[in-house]
Amino acid sequence: MGRKEKVLAVVIGLAAAVFMLYMIVDKLVLSKIENLQKQETRLREDIVINQAKRDQYERQASRLPELLDRTFGSDENVASERVQARLTKLLDATGLKISLTPQGGPKIQGKYKEISWQVLAQEGKLDQIISFMFLLNSEPYLHRVEGLSLTPKHRRGTMDMKLRFVTMVPAKRSGADIAPGQAAQAPLQLGVLQASPRKQYDIIVSRDPFRPYVKRPDPPKPPPEPKPAVVVSKPATPPPPTPARLRVVSLTRWAGQQEIQVRDVKTGKTDVLKPGQDLAGGKIVMIDYRRMPMPGSPEVLSYSRVILQKGSEYWAVELGQEIATSRRLTGDNLPEQLSGE
């Protein structure tokens, strides 16, 4: 073996020895240091997370006495009776016809249970329902409203209300009952109905968002500019529009007066009529606002129609339909004002 080969062999041997030494040091020292650093990072992150949970717990725990003071105590029967009594007084103060039904709720063992009452109010005015909801919002104890449903009755100008009123009953602490809090025993504040915050909601009553939408009639077209007469012969008078061209586009009541708007679908002209005037060979008797099945589509409800008298018979045309689609009304479906005639 020559000198160069011996030097190369020594270099390779040293390199292999250094590599082996590095592997031994990495396994015994460096890898453990890296694992300890990762563990330290993970523990620090756990400390931050646990500290945030502790801070949240302390904030929530500090609110617990104030929340307990806004409950009816840990006796479910007493709490349910007091809620019923307060709801009855609130509804009586607004003049609503009510029906209260107790309902159950979820229970979290060792923490709390929910009790609830289903509230049904029939034939209520919009301002009465707004006043009742305002009083509910003013109640000082813990509560919430679920499943609010309003069903308008356009013929009577009233609506039915349905909701679920829920409050919380805390569980006993260390086996001892929790007494009703001061907020839950506070007297009813019925005077707030006359205060300024309640008056701000009167705009809802004035706008009446539950009123059926009636499209505003198109503005009248401007008269055409006069042209010089060039025709010697007098043009024939156009025939009156047929019932197939006339459509009922609006059935409204303004200041106690009924108003019927009929549009010529060919010319776009809209006429405003009132009960007692003639229309398509009959005399307008009244506007009927009863909720009835739509002719030809019984699954669809119609909320208004104009009634015409032709001889001794009464005919009805639904809102949005042509006069030609009128149908004769019999004694079974005549309105009360006409059935006794």
Side-chain angles (χ1 to χ4, degrees), residues 291-305 317-321 325 327:
R291 183 168 58 181
M292 300 178 65
M294 182 70 73
S297 302
E299 69 278 6
V300 179
L301 293 179
S302 172
Y303 293 92
S304 59
R305 61 206 57 80
V317 184
E318 304 297 322
L319 176 63
Q321 293 190 348
T325 64
R327 70 183 194 283

Side-chain angles (χ1 to χ4, degrees), residues 18-63:
V18 172
F19 177 76
M20 292 298 297
L21 179 62
Y22 171 78
M23 295 296 294
I24 294 173
V25 173
D26 178 66
K27 184 175 181 180
L28 297 178
V29 180
L30 298 179
S31 297
K32 290 185 177 181
I33 293 176
E34 184 179 359
N35 291 335
L36 290 174
Q37 290 176 340
K38 291 181 179 179
Q39 185 177 1
E40 178 188 11
T41 302
R42 185 169 58 254
L43 291 175
R44 289 184 182 276
E45 292 174 351
D46 292 342
I47 290 174
V48 174
I49 294 174
N50 291 329
Q51 184 64 45
K53 291 181 179 179
R54 179 183 176 182
D55 294 342
Q56 182 182 12
Y57 170 79
E58 291 178 350
R59 289 194 300 269
Q60 294 177 347
S62 63
R63 295 186 58 206

Side-chain angles (χ1 to χ4, degrees), residues 67-113:
L67 294 176
L68 291 178
D69 189 57
R70 296 174 59 195
T71 67
F72 288 95
S74 57
D75 191 318
E76 297 179 19
N77 295 328
V78 172
S80 182
E81 291 176 0
R82 292 191 177 184
V83 170
Q84 180 189 19
R86 292 184 74 98
L87 288 177
T88 301
K89 292 180 180 179
L90 294 182
L91 289 162
D92 289 343
T94 57
L96 290 171
K97 301 176 183 179
I98 64 166
S99 172
L100 296 176
T101 305
Q103 293 185 336
K107 180 177 182 180
I108 307 300
Q109 188 65 32
K111 295 183 179 179
Y112 68 89
K113 184 182 186 305

Side-chain angles (χ1 to χ4, degrees), residues 115-250:
I115 59 172
S116 63
W117 284 84
Q118 185 184 66
V119 182
L120 294 176
Q122 297 180 336
E123 302 291 341
K125 298 290 186 180
L126 181 57
D127 61 332
Q128 293 176 315
I129 293 177
I130 292 176
S131 294
F132 175 67
M133 299 301 297
F134 184 83
L135 289 175
L136 280 188
N137 188 60
S138 301
E139 286 289 83
Y141 53 89
L142 295 176
H143 67 276
R144 71 172 182 269
V145 174
E146 297 179 346
L148 175 62
S149 173
L150 299 175
T151 305
K153 296 185 175 181
H154 301 297
R155 181 184 177 188
R156 299 184 178 90
T158 60
M159 62 179 57
D160 294 344
M161 178 188 68
K162 180 180 179 181
L163 61 86
R164 182 169 177 261
F165 186 80
V166 185
T167 188
M168 183 190 76
V169 177
K172 297 180 180 180
R173 303 183 68 181
S174 302
D177 289 329
I178 298 176
Q182 295 296 323
Q185 301 183 70
L188 292 171
Q189 302 295 324
L190 301 181
V192 297
L193 292 179
Q194 309 302 324
S196 177
R198 167 60 184 89
K199 300 299 183 182
Q200 297 176 4
Y201 292 92
D202 287 341
I203 189 173
I204 301 177
V205 180
S206 62
R207 296 298 297 271
D208 191 6
F210 296 96
R211 180 176 53 196
Y213 171 74
V214 177
K215 184 179 179 181
R216 179 177 298 178
D218 296 334
K221 297 181 178 179
E225 296 182 1
K227 297 181 179 180
V230 294
V231 180
V232 177
S233 61
K234 185 178 179 181
T237 303
T242 62
R245 286 171 44 185
L246 296 178
R247 176 178 297 171
V248 179
V249 296
S250 176

Side-chain angles (χ1 to χ4, degrees), residues 262-288:
V262 180
R263 181 181 299 164
D264 188 332
V265 297
K266 183 176 180 180
T267 64
K269 180 182 178 182
T270 300
D271 293 328
V272 180
L273 306 174
K274 297 183 181 297
Q277 293 184 267
D278 294 333
L279 176 61
K283 184 177 71 173
I284 300 175
V285 178
M286 61 177 291
I287 299 175
D288 180 17

